[in-house]
Amino acid sequence: MNVGLKTLILPANEAAVAKAARCLAEGGLVAFPTETVYGLGADAANAGAIARLYEAKGRPSFNPLIAHVGDIAAARRIARFDATATKLAEAFWPGPLTLVLPKTTDCAVADLATAGLDTIAVRVPAHPVARAILRTFGGPVVAPSANLSGHVSPTSAAHVQSDLAGRIDLIVDGGAVTVGVESTIVGCFEEPMLLRPGGLPRGEIERVLGRPLVRPPEDADNDAGQPLAPGMLASHYAPRTKVRLNAESVETNEALLAFGPDSVRGAEAATAVMNLSPRGDLSEAAAHLFGYLRALDTKGARAIAVMPVPHHGLGEAINDRLRRAAIGR
């Protein structure tokens, strides 16, 4: 890995979009904002670029990547849609939903990006900068979160710079993201399956489908085997500091990740305190989650005590990320 690479950082504008598209076409790595988190983009058809991406992130080679495209028509060129997939795409794209679908016979996405699976994860992002880059580039772009693998996901260009400066070619700075957790992933198998909770709540998907999403097999959500979809490694999203969940008190030399207007015993003695949402708003909490975990990870605390977060709506995705953070590396 050429860690001495000069990483260019540009504010999001037409010139930056054009530069990003050229860089992707030349096999470069470009970080850009989506509505969920910042993604690290590479030409999905260029196996060499994808290998550089894995190397830059230190990402396990068996963890598949999401292909980002500009619209449903582009998605149909790389993935086969049934009635269920079509219904979900028409309801929620562009937006924070990834669909896992069978590849088309002439799918342009390199096998390295799909980790040898005969399915592909695809989504149409809603962020205007991401859409402009995809439109200008003209092909699918794989774009996992723009961070070192296993680190907290990036919700600002500064987070990307902290992890990947010297490892990638370009960062397009589009400001802070709005959703703050990765896309929800649904596998369009015989029964639609929730593979990863995320920025689109399960309830909204189930209302469109008119039936519940099924759960993945118990052995699909661990580090032992090949995951069905991106983000399913159990120890993903882990800060360096130990994370303690559902804390009802703060112990000696712990930082506190709080939620809501109430506090817990010992909060006044915490090494540091950050509240995901003082008013108890799950959308605000999701937007703050990764940034606050990153900030508390720098405080030198023995552990990060995390107050309980409700499990409904976006709380399901927040708790999923926190559970993975608590597993550690």
Side-chain angles (χ1 to χ4, degrees):
M1 182 72 214
N2 180 14
V3 181
L5 190 68
K6 173 66 174 177
T7 299
L8 183 63
I9 304 173
L10 296 176
N13 54 32
E14 287 186 13
V17 166
K19 174 71 173 176
R22 287 195 303 272
C23 187
L24 290 168
E26 294 167 358
L29 302 181
V30 178
F32 57 87
T34 77
E35 73 277 20
T36 55
V37 298
Y38 270 70
L40 178 58
D43 179 357
N46 184 334
I50 295 164
R52 279 191 63 208
L53 186 151
Y54 281 127
E55 192 176 13
K57 283 180 59 68
R59 188 181 178 93
S61 61
F62 51 84
N63 202 6
L65 304 173
I66 297 172
H68 293 68
V69 294
D71 52 36
I72 294 179
R76 289 185 182 278
R77 289 193 282 274
I78 60 174
R80 300 202 310 270
F81 282 70
D82 61 10
T84 297
T86 299
K87 181 182 291 188
L88 291 175
E90 290 177 347
F92 297 115
W93 281 355
L97 174 67
T98 293
L99 299 178
V100 176
L101 303 166
K103 294 179 185 176
T104 57
T105 54
D106 57 350
C107 177
V109 175
D111 288 340
L112 184 59
T114 59
L117 300 173
D118 58 5
T119 55
I120 187 165
V122 61
R123 104 173 169 98
V124 178
H127 197 288
V129 174
R131 299 195 74 192
I133 290 171
L134 290 167
R135 185 168 56 248
T136 305
F137 175 65
V141 172
V142 290
S145 56
N147 58 293
L148 291 173
S149 187
H151 284 196
V152 178
S153 294
T155 53
S156 71
H159 295 160
V160 180
Q161 184 179 14
S162 173
D163 265 15
L164 298 179
R167 291 173 170 262
I168 66 175
D169 300 284
L170 174 63
I171 300 171
V172 179
D173 186 352
V177 304
T178 55
V179 176
V181 293
E182 288 90 342
S183 60
T184 301
I185 302 180
V186 172
C188 294
F189 309 134
E190 288 187 10
E191 293 291 332
M193 181 182 292
L194 181 65
L195 296 176
R196 181 180 75 182
L200 180 65
R202 173 212 299 265
E204 294 187 28
I205 300 169
E206 292 178 338
R207 276 193 292 275
V208 168
L209 291 176
R211 53 177 163 161
L213 292 164
V214 300
R215 293 280 190 178
E218 289 186 6
D219 61 355
D221 196 18
N222 59 53
D223 283 351
Q226 180 162 300
L228 293 170
M232 292 188 69
L233 291 180
S235 63
H236 225 40
Y237 318 111
R240 296 173 181 82
T241 308
K242 179 182 176 181
V243 174
R244 184 169 67 86
L245 302 180
N246 298 314
E248 297 181 352
S249 63
V250 178
E251 299 176 0
T252 303
N253 196 26
E254 284 190 328
L256 175 64
L257 185 62
F259 176 82
D262 300 324
S263 190
V264 292
R265 294 191 307 276
E268 66 283 352
T271 302
V273 179
M274 301 191 80
N275 195 319
L276 291 170
S277 175
R279 64 177 188 269
D281 182 276
L282 288 171
S283 294
E284 182 181 33
H288 288 158
L289 177 62
F290 290 129
Y292 285 10
L293 275 175
R294 277 182 175 270
L296 292 177
D297 200 23
T298 68
K299 300 301 182 182
R302 178 178 60 83
I304 300 170
V306 182
M307 287 176 58
V309 175
H311 201 66
H312 60 81
L314 283 176
E316 185 175 19
I318 293 168
N319 283 310
D320 175 78
R321 300 307 186 274
L322 288 170
R323 177 178 63 81
R324 295 171 190 273
I327 290 171
R329 281 185 286 280

